[in-house]
Amino acid sequence: GAGVSQSPSNKVTEKGKDVELRCDPISGHTALYWYRQSLGQGLEFLIYFQGNSAPDKSGLPSDRFSAERTGGSVSTLTIQRTQQEDSAVYLCASSPFGITDTQYFGPGTRLTVL
Amino acid sequence: ELKVEQNPLFLSMQEEKNYTIYCNYSTTSDRLYWYRQDPGKSLESLFVLLSNGAVKQEGRLMASLDTKARLSTLHITAAVHDLSATYFCAVDPYLIQGAQKLVFGQGTRLTINP
């Protein structure tokens, strides 16, 4: 069956530009998570959605980062005025409703800010 | 702040040998997850450990959880080259109601040589 998909797979942008990263979770999964993986910081939790609601945004690195989810499905992570330190792999995961469910990860979007 | 520490961070082994990866964490939790990541790929779920004393086995890998010691181990038996990957443990510290806010270890890069 279809897993979590993310697009684009690679994104190269210039410093100061805005970027949008997309995540399509597994159908029927109500929970959706965004993580960032970089050499210096390892794997960091950014934000999660339960349905379309994001109760905890404390993991977002700065106010340049925002995320939304529509229809309980697709999510978009937006980074405004990108900086070089935003370069990383952005991973999305989804899980069925349940606090102990396994999270299923997408292939990630590799973001490079020049 | 929850800290999750893995050791070793790098492990080079020969085939057919046994070894153990350790995951220590700094706060109370009985939800621990092990993931595998191949180079350039996303994370694949290996084990979900949800209680003290939990033990799970899949092929040559066995994971266990000791919540009192705040320690999980991933034991590799008679290693084969296909197990070469980076292994992550992740802990859910119960910071979010109804969802998981996983905190990941640094990862253990395992290389198995013929």
Side-chain angles (χ1 to χ4, degrees):
Chain A
V4 178
S5 61
Q6 292 185 245
S7 61
S9 55
N10 281 285
K11 177 71 176 179
V12 180
T13 190
E14 294 179 347
K15 178 181 171 181
K17 300 283 189 184
D18 298 350
V19 295
E20 284 189 353
L21 311 179
R22 176 186 169 109
C23 172
D24 282 89
I26 294 172
S27 178
H29 283 192
T30 59
L32 185 148
Y33 304 83
W34 283 98
Y35 296 87
R36 178 168 73 171
Q37 186 173 28
S38 59
L39 282 175
Q41 301 298 323
L43 269 155
E44 303 172 89
F45 171 91
L46 297 178
I47 191 170
Y48 91 102
F49 290 88
Q50 194 62 266
N52 292 333
S53 174
D56 181 358
K57 301 180 182 180
S58 62
L60 295 176
S62 76
D63 59 8
R64 296 185 294 104
F65 287 70
S66 62
E68 65 175 12
R69 189 179 185 192
T70 55
S73 181
V74 172
S75 176
T76 303
L77 177 69
T78 301
I79 310 172
Q80 295 179 310
R81 305 181 302 282
T82 52
Q83 303 294 312
Q84 288 183 333
E85 61 262 29
D86 299 335
S87 296
V89 176
Y90 289 81
L91 293 167
C92 174
S94 70
S95 70
F97 183 82
I99 57 176
T100 60
D101 289 331
T102 296
Q103 293 185 23
Y104 296 87
F105 282 79
T109 293
R110 181 175 296 277
L111 175 66
T112 303
V113 182
L114 302 177
Chain B
E1 179 187 346
L2 170 63
K3 291 186 178 179
V4 181
E5 295 186 344
Q6 292 181 231
N7 75 84
L9 300 183
F10 298 92
L11 178 55
S12 182
M13 345 173 15
Q14 291 190 322
E15 286 188 322
E16 300 301 319
K17 299 292 186 182
N18 304 331
Y19 210 82
T20 301
I21 299 171
Y22 297 89
C23 174
N24 291 271
Y25 55 97
S26 63
T27 194
T28 302
S29 177
D30 58 3
R31 299 184 206 162
L32 190 135
Y33 306 79
W34 283 96
Y35 288 88
R36 167 182 173 150
Q37 186 175 38
D38 292 293
K41 304 288 186 180
S42 193
L43 280 78
E44 173 190 353
S45 176
L46 291 176
F47 299 109
V48 179
L49 303 168
L50 299 176
S51 62
N52 185 41
V55 177
K56 296 279 184 74
Q57 182 164 5
E58 180 73 33
R60 300 173 188 271
L61 300 178
M62 183 173 71
S64 65
L65 177 61
D66 181 342
T67 60
K68 294 179 181 178
R70 299 178 183 172
L71 170 69
S72 180
T73 60
L74 180 66
H75 187 72
I76 303 148
T77 302
V80 292
H81 180 69
D82 286 353
L83 292 178
S84 296
T86 299
Y87 293 85
F88 291 92
C89 63
V91 176
D92 178 7
Y94 293 80
L95 292 179
I96 303 174
Q97 278 197 333
Q100 307 158 0
K101 187 173 183 177
L102 295 182
V103 178
F104 282 83
Q106 312 97 309
T108 296
R109 183 177 294 181
L110 174 64
T111 303
I112 298 170
N113 305 302

